[in-house]
Amino acid sequence: MDAAARLPLALFRTIDADPRHWQILALSGLFIFSYSTSSFGAEPSALLFAASGAMLAQTLGTAIINLRASRPLFHGFEVKSALITTLGVTILLRAAAPWIWFAAAFTGIALKFLVRIKGKHVFNPGCIGIVAMMLLLGRDAWVSPGQWGQMPLIAGYALALALAALTLSSAKRLDIALGFLFTVAAILFARAVWLGDPMAIPLHQLSSGSLLIFAFFMITDPRSTPDSRMGRVLFAMAVASLAAWFIIGPNQRGAPLMALAALGLLTPLLDRALPARRFEWPRGMPALEGRRPISTPVSIRPWGTKETPRP
């Protein structure tokens, strides 16, 4: 097989080597879709401000940790984490001023470094950044389900969700996404039956694009969710139940985000009650089949993807 014929397979293997690659592609597609189809969608200026905040926080956090550990200043700098947070904040958050996107991304990444239990960050960076701005700024920061409309299964969404499925399968987090969606659906349909409401009401509530984006890209973060499958299912049901209450009761905008932020501390509790192997992002890129590395210097350690290595 010549080089041109091997290129697609090599490209797929390179992307598939890290589930974050699929997530970045999917979120990038959602950004383009939002910007090109909606007057209330994501804007390039918001992306720029969010990227500045995320990269600044990632740089400062990485440098401080490395200084304390007597390592090279930018050892293990995690640009993928900052980029995913940037895209998540840009896609979901709407704000009255550009600096709010900067502050949301900066806050989310900063809390990833500051709030840790046994080396594992507690809150999803994008989620906690958005929620912090909503709580601190009130009407100046919000999540608008209307920006995505009520028909998420059109071509752009189908592509994004297909990429999301690849992400979740590779990261082994499809269980938490389905657990969340099924629980929310069960609660909303049960309430409609109890009250005698038409089924169009829960169907309308479930057809929000923002809800699907949250389920496939936010609650599924492997680094801030329980390690065991049972723990993830319980966590998903708890977040879904609180989110459904926010939707039914106070009609809170950004209900899933609020629920995930409020229940973030459940993760270390479930990890302690139901211990399992901790998820780690892949280290480095695997060599292509049949190709041997040219050399492996023993004096140089490859750059890892984990900010704080386990002692």
Side-chain angles (χ1 to χ4, degrees), residues 238-297:
V239 173
S241 299
L242 184 57
W245 181 83
F246 279 140
I247 294 171
I248 294 169
N251 193 23
Q252 173 68 53
R253 283 191 175 185
L257 295 167
M258 290 289 188
L260 180 59
L263 297 177
L265 289 174
L266 270 182
T267 292
L269 296 177
L270 289 170
D271 281 341
R272 183 171 182 177
L274 301 167
R277 183 178 180 181
R278 179 175 296 185
F279 179 87
E280 300 290 349
W281 293 116
R283 291 179 176 271
M285 305 297 293
L288 294 179
E289 184 178 355
R291 180 179 298 179
R292 299 178 59 185
I294 298 174
S295 62
T296 308

Side-chain angles (χ1 to χ4, degrees), residues 52-96:
S52 300
M55 293 301 175
L56 178 58
Q58 187 72 37
T59 300
L60 292 175
T62 302
I64 291 172
I65 286 178
N66 286 331
L67 282 174
R68 295 177 62 184
S70 300
R71 290 193 298 259
L73 198 60
F74 297 113
H75 172 78
F77 181 82
E78 194 40 77
V79 65
K80 297 172 190 175
S81 174
L83 185 55
I84 289 171
T85 298
T86 293
L87 289 166
V89 167
T90 306
I91 289 169
L92 289 174
L93 179 64
R94 295 294 164 263

Side-chain angles (χ1 to χ4, degrees), residues 150-237:
Q150 298 295 329
M151 296 182 64
L153 296 181
I154 57 181
Y157 280 95
L159 173 62
L161 294 181
L163 292 174
L166 289 172
T167 298
L168 297 171
S169 298
S170 181
K172 296 180 174 61
R173 289 300 186 273
L174 187 59
D175 47 13
I176 195 169
L178 295 180
F180 172 81
L181 289 173
F182 284 142
T183 303
V184 169
I187 293 174
L188 294 180
F189 277 109
R191 178 177 182 269
V193 172
W194 177 265
L195 296 177
D197 291 336
M199 291 296 105
I201 293 178
L203 286 174
H204 177 81
Q205 292 170 322
L206 290 169
S207 63
S208 166
S210 296
L211 184 68
L212 291 178
I213 293 170
F214 171 85
F216 282 94
F217 296 105
M218 197 70 72
I219 195 175
T220 51
D221 175 23
R223 298 288 288 142
S224 59
T225 50
D227 297 320
S228 67
R229 172 161 294 180
M230 180 58 68
R232 292 193 295 272
V233 172
L234 293 174
F235 182 76
M237 294 175 65

